[in-house]
Structures are given as structure tokens and as C-alpha cells.
Amino acid sequence: MSAQFSDFSLPPALLQVLTALSFSSPTPIQAAAIPLALQGRDVKAKAPTGSGKTTAFGVPLVNLLNADLVRGQQRKVQALVVCPTRELAEQVAGVIRQLARWQPNSKILTLCGGAPVGPQLGSLEHGADIVVGTPGRLLMHVRKGSLILDAVRTWVLDEADRMLDMGFMDDMQTLREALPKQHQTLLFSATYAPEIEQFCHAVLQNPAEVDVAQAGEAPEIEEHWLVAGKDLMQGLLQALQRWPAEQAILFCNTKVECAEVVDKLRQHGYSVAAIQGDMMQRDREKVLASFAHQSLQLLVATDVAARGLDIPALPLVVNVDLPRDPTAYTHRVGRTGRAGEKGLAVSVVSTMDSKRAQTLMEQRAMPPQIAPMDPKRQEPVPEKPAYITLELDQGKKAKLRPGDIMGALTGSAGLPSDAVGKITLFPLYTLVAIRRAYTRQAEAALKEHGVKKIRVKVRPLRLP
């Protein structure tokens, strides 16, 4: 009989939250890691992206919250979660906030680079129970004295391998020095290279080891390599025609290549935008939300997006050029075929990539299918996305909720409920997906009637 969350001696209120969140039974990483973490042990876990690891450490974190500190006037940070990217930190914080509903008045704070420091300082003045953030910004607040970690009982290193790849080892060591001498460490990583093993030895005390990377059936991913010769862009266009998908992530090795690909594909009628490490936070939010809303067909990214983006059902991944690191290739391909779905990964192999292709081919357990270019293939006009995302100039600070937006659209605007897609609220603005046929109707009604008696400016979302 498989494990159940009720087997973990969790409080009834927390079990009710898990049920409300549709967590029917724990995944392998959750079943293995949660009991060990609840015992207070250090845990060294190997788990792939999409395996449910956030809940695997999130449940113990919210279970161990000290109610007296949560309700007290001197609220102190009890747990610290360190993530390699802003996107992952926001996603992790979102999951923990949902899990923490069982503990009234708990506060989960996100501290990431790319966001203004002032509002973070204001939030820290009022304290927090769990802090989730990126190494650089967390360390900056520690040095300023605005983030005090002397009450932390547990710290989590999520995707530790990625943080080491990004050069954060010294930052993580410095953060550790700011923690109490007695604390619990939960370390999650997809791979364990020698550098990570050394780091684990330094930060973990007699850890319990969990490895579910090979648990269950391997994802069913079909790999194709399209041999494009010298014309990489023509090869990319043909790859998108041969293996069409409603949405896909396209990986490039550099930011310059990302910009070139976006420009070229827009000329050919594709709905496409790029995400890179140095974008403004608001631009990143809009691009990722548009992709989640299904109003953006293609997302072009450097390897910063190979980890930490919460895109559960991705039908297609395209390598515009092959990565220099074989591990990066594995991570890229692993973005598709998740949660039991079949996946498709296509790589455009140019003459310049021939040596990389040979190296990768030798390392793949199952060699990809090789396809030549078809000189006779005609270029069709790409289909437009089913949704258009509208941007409203009011958000959470105006006390708006998703239900308010839905009510305005199905009420005064007269839209059927199935014409409204995903609604994403930010502090100062809101993004809402509308089926293409209803976009003008929705835009006109929102401009005329507003939302909850609040006047709003509305326009189709413009992406960078």
C-alpha cells in the first residue's frame, strides 16, 4: 500500500489544507523526505525537476512553525529557503503560502534581486516567519542587519547544483555563518557533481540520503535532431513546421541569439518573446504570465530558464543550438514529458555544432532520430494563440481579487465563463487571458464599467 500524508503524524488542520490543495497522496520524494525532515534530521535529496520537492520540504517547514512566534509581537524568521533564481523563489514561496494556511497569521516573505530594496526593508521591519530568496539579495539584507537569522531552525537549499553552477558557493557559506549553530539543513539537488559533494560534506551533519531520481518510469521523450547545415534559422523554421505544438520553449546559448531568434520569428508571424537573466522584473513577470496564459506561443530562453520555471505541461522543447554543457542539454530536454505526459524535444544541428553533436550522441542512452532538411517544404502561416492577455492598471493594492475580475467580465461584459482564462494579479496591475473572439468585448466593457466600481485602464499586453 502506498504512503499517505496521514501517515506522517501531521496536524489535522495541515492535512485538511493538503486535501483542499488536491494533494491526494505523496510523490516518491515527498514520501521519502517528509518523515526524515519531520524527525529533525539533515536531508540530502536527489530529485528531478517536477518531482514535487517543494512540497517535500514545504510541509515540514510549515509544520515546524512555532505558533507563539507567529502570533507574537516580535516575529522572527524560523526558516530560510535559498533558491537560484527569482522565478523559482516566487514559485516556492507561493507553494509554502498555500501550505501555511493551517497556521493563521503566518507570513512568508520573498527577497530576490531585481526587485526594489525599499519595500523589502519595510516588510522586514514587521518580521516574517519563513523567508524565501536568492543568495545575493539575502546576503545583502544580512549584511545590512535588516535580515536577522538567529532564530532559524531549518534552512533549505533548493536546486543546490544550480546555485553552485551560478557561482553562489561563497554566498551560501556566508549565509550559513549567520544561522544559529544548531539548525537543520535540507538540501535538494538534481545532480551531485564533485563540487556539490564537497559542499554537502561542509554543511550537512550526518544527513539522511534520499535518491528518487530514478524512481518510477522514465519520462517518455521523443528526441529528433534536424540537420540544418549552415542555415540555422531556416532549420529552426522548418523544425517548428515539422513538429508543431501549441507552445514550446526554444533554448539558445546567448542573450544575443535570443534577441535574433525573437526578431526573426516575429517577422514570420509567430507569437514569441524572450526571457533572460538581466531583464527587468516586471518584464519577466509579463512574459512568463503571458506564456502561462497561453497567449504566447513560443518562449525563447537562455539556460537560466532551464531550471526554476514552473511550466508543468510543455509539449515541445527546441534547442536552437546545442548547449556547450551536456548536463544543460539534459535539463533542457527534461522540460518536456513531465507529470506522465509524452514529450518531444527537437534540436537544430548546424555545421558549427557538429563536434558538440558527436559528444552528446555518445552520451545519450537512446540516440535521437536524425532528420535532414526538406528543401521542398513550404512555410505555412503559424496559427495565432487561442488567448489574448489584457493588462489592467490596477492590482492587489487596489484590493482586487480574481473573483472580482471574473465577475466584471461575466457580468457587465457579458462574457461566458469559458471565455476567460487565467487571471494573474500583481501589486500594481493585473493580467487576464481572454479568448481571442471576445477580446474587444471584454476590453470595451472593462473600460466602461471598471471592476468593483474601480476605474481601470485596459490594453492588450505588450511584451518586450
Side-chain angles (χ1 to χ4, degrees):
M1 183 176 177
S2 60
Q4 301 296 317
F5 285 108
S6 56
D7 298 336
F8 303 147
S9 300
L10 298 170
L14 180 50
L15 289 173
Q16 289 175 4
V17 168
L18 288 166
T19 301
L21 294 173
S22 300
F23 289 116
S24 56
S25 59
T27 65
I29 182 60
Q30 293 162 7
I34 289 176
L36 295 167
L38 290 174
Q39 294 170 16
R41 295 194 61 180
D42 284 8
V43 176
K44 173 187 174 185
K46 183 178 181 182
T49 301
S51 59
K53 58 186 173 54
T54 305
T55 301
F57 61 74
V59 166
L61 288 191
V62 300
N63 179 70
L64 293 172
L65 283 177
N66 184 312
D68 292 335
L69 287 178
V70 170
R71 300 189 184 99
Q73 293 183 345
Q74 298 299 319
R75 190 193 299 261
K76 292 188 175 182
V77 179
Q78 300 180 54
L80 177 69
V81 183
V82 190
C83 302
T85 65
R86 288 173 281 183
E87 289 80 18
L88 181 59
E90 292 287 353
Q91 291 153 20
V92 167
V95 172
I96 294 176
R97 287 189 185 100
Q98 291 181 318
L99 295 172
R101 291 175 187 169
W102 83 279
Q103 186 71 273
N105 199 40
S106 57
K107 179 180 176 182
I108 289 79
L109 181 62
T110 309
L111 300 176
C112 297
V117 175
Q120 293 180 352
L121 292 172
S123 294
L124 285 167
E125 286 180 359
H126 299 287
D129 301 302
I130 299 176
V131 169
V132 184
T134 49
R137 184 55 60 94
L138 291 171
L139 190 55
M140 184 207 76
H141 281 293
V142 168
R143 287 171 172 162
K144 276 180 169 286
S146 48
L147 177 61
I148 307 299
L149 302 176
D150 59 5
V152 168
R153 301 167 66 190
T154 303
W155 81 316
V156 179
L157 300 173
D158 192 11
E159 296 201 352
D161 53 342
R162 179 63 174 156
M163 285 192 279
L164 293 185
D165 289 343
M166 296 171 71
F168 288 134
M169 180 179 285
D170 290 344
D171 287 354
M172 288 190 289
Q173 292 281 19
T174 305
L175 281 172
R176 179 171 176 261
E177 293 171 3
L179 301 174
K181 188 171 183 180
Q182 297 298 323
H183 64 265
Q184 178 187 35
T185 302
L186 307 178
L187 188 147
F188 287 76
S189 186
T191 59
Y192 279 90
E195 296 81 4
I196 259 217
E197 293 291 357
Q198 295 171 15
F199 181 73
C200 289
H201 183 73
V203 303
L204 296 168
Q205 300 294 321
N206 189 28
E209 297 196 22
V210 175
D211 185 350
V212 299
Q214 304 302 322
E217 296 182 3
E220 188 176 343
I221 300 175
E222 187 178 315
E223 290 186 49
H224 294 269
W225 285 10
L226 181 65
V227 180
K230 294 182 179 180
D231 197 339
L232 182 65
M233 190 54 63
Q234 194 60 37
L236 172 59
L237 290 169
Q238 192 164 123
L240 294 174
Q241 296 155 18
R242 283 200 199 184
W243 296 280
E246 290 186 1
Q247 288 189 299
I249 290 184
L250 280 54
F251 284 104
C252 299
N253 289 338
T254 68
K255 291 177 287 186
V256 172
E257 289 170 325
C258 283
E260 292 173 350
V261 167
V262 168
D263 183 60
K264 190 71 172 180
L265 291 180
R266 283 178 176 171
Q267 292 177 26
H268 285 263
Y270 284 94
S271 168
V272 56
I275 182 168
Q276 303 159 9
D278 58 357
M279 291 176 70
M280 295 287 291
Q281 179 67 9
R282 186 157 173 160
D283 288 340
R284 296 167 73 91
E285 291 172 349
K286 289 182 176 180
V287 170
L288 291 173
S290 185
F291 195 74
H293 287 193
Q294 296 181 294
S295 60
L296 179 66
Q297 182 183 7
L298 303 175
L299 181 64
V300 184
T302 55
D303 280 311
V304 69
R307 313 278 282 283
L309 293 186
D310 185 20
I311 304 173
L314 187 65
L316 174 65
V317 163
V318 179
N319 290 307
V320 179
D321 44 15
L322 296 177
R324 299 175 180 87
D325 180 7
T327 303
Y329 178 87
T330 300
H331 287 310
R332 291 180 181 186
V333 170
R335 294 301 313 177
T336 185
R338 295 174 60 183
E341 297 290 333
K342 292 183 179 180
L344 177 62
V346 177
S347 298
V348 183
V349 183
S350 68
T351 303
M352 294 180 62
D353 278 343
S354 57
K355 289 185 178 180
R356 292 180 198 168
Q358 183 177 353
T359 301
L360 284 173
M361 183 73 74
E362 293 171 352
Q363 295 185 357
R364 302 303 288 169
M366 291 290 292
Q369 301 178 45
I370 308 298
M373 288 279 285
D374 182 357
K376 296 181 180 179
R377 181 175 287 269
Q378 297 296 313
E379 181 183 333
V381 177
E383 294 186 9
K384 294 183 180 297
Y387 290 90
I388 290 177
T389 294
L390 297 180
E391 179 181 1
L392 286 62
D393 71 339
Q394 299 289 345
K396 292 179 181 178
K397 288 196 173 181
K399 308 297 184 183
L400 294 186
R401 301 172 303 163
D404 300 325
I405 309 294
M406 177 64 81
L409 290 167
T410 57
S412 57
L415 269 67
S417 58
D418 61 0
V420 184
K422 191 175 178 66
I423 299 171
T424 307
L425 277 87
F426 297 92
L428 300 177
Y429 66 99
T430 299
L431 302 179
V432 54
I434 305 292
R435 287 197 177 274
R436 186 170 292 274
Y438 294 92
T439 306
R440 290 185 179 179
Q441 181 182 342
E443 187 175 357
L446 288 172
K447 286 179 178 178
E448 181 178 356
H449 301 288
V451 179
K452 207 172 65 172
K453 298 182 179 180
I454 299 174
R455 304 291 296 179
V456 295
K457 293 180 180 178
V458 188
R459 68 175 186 180
L461 178 62
R462 300 171 186 171
L463 295 178

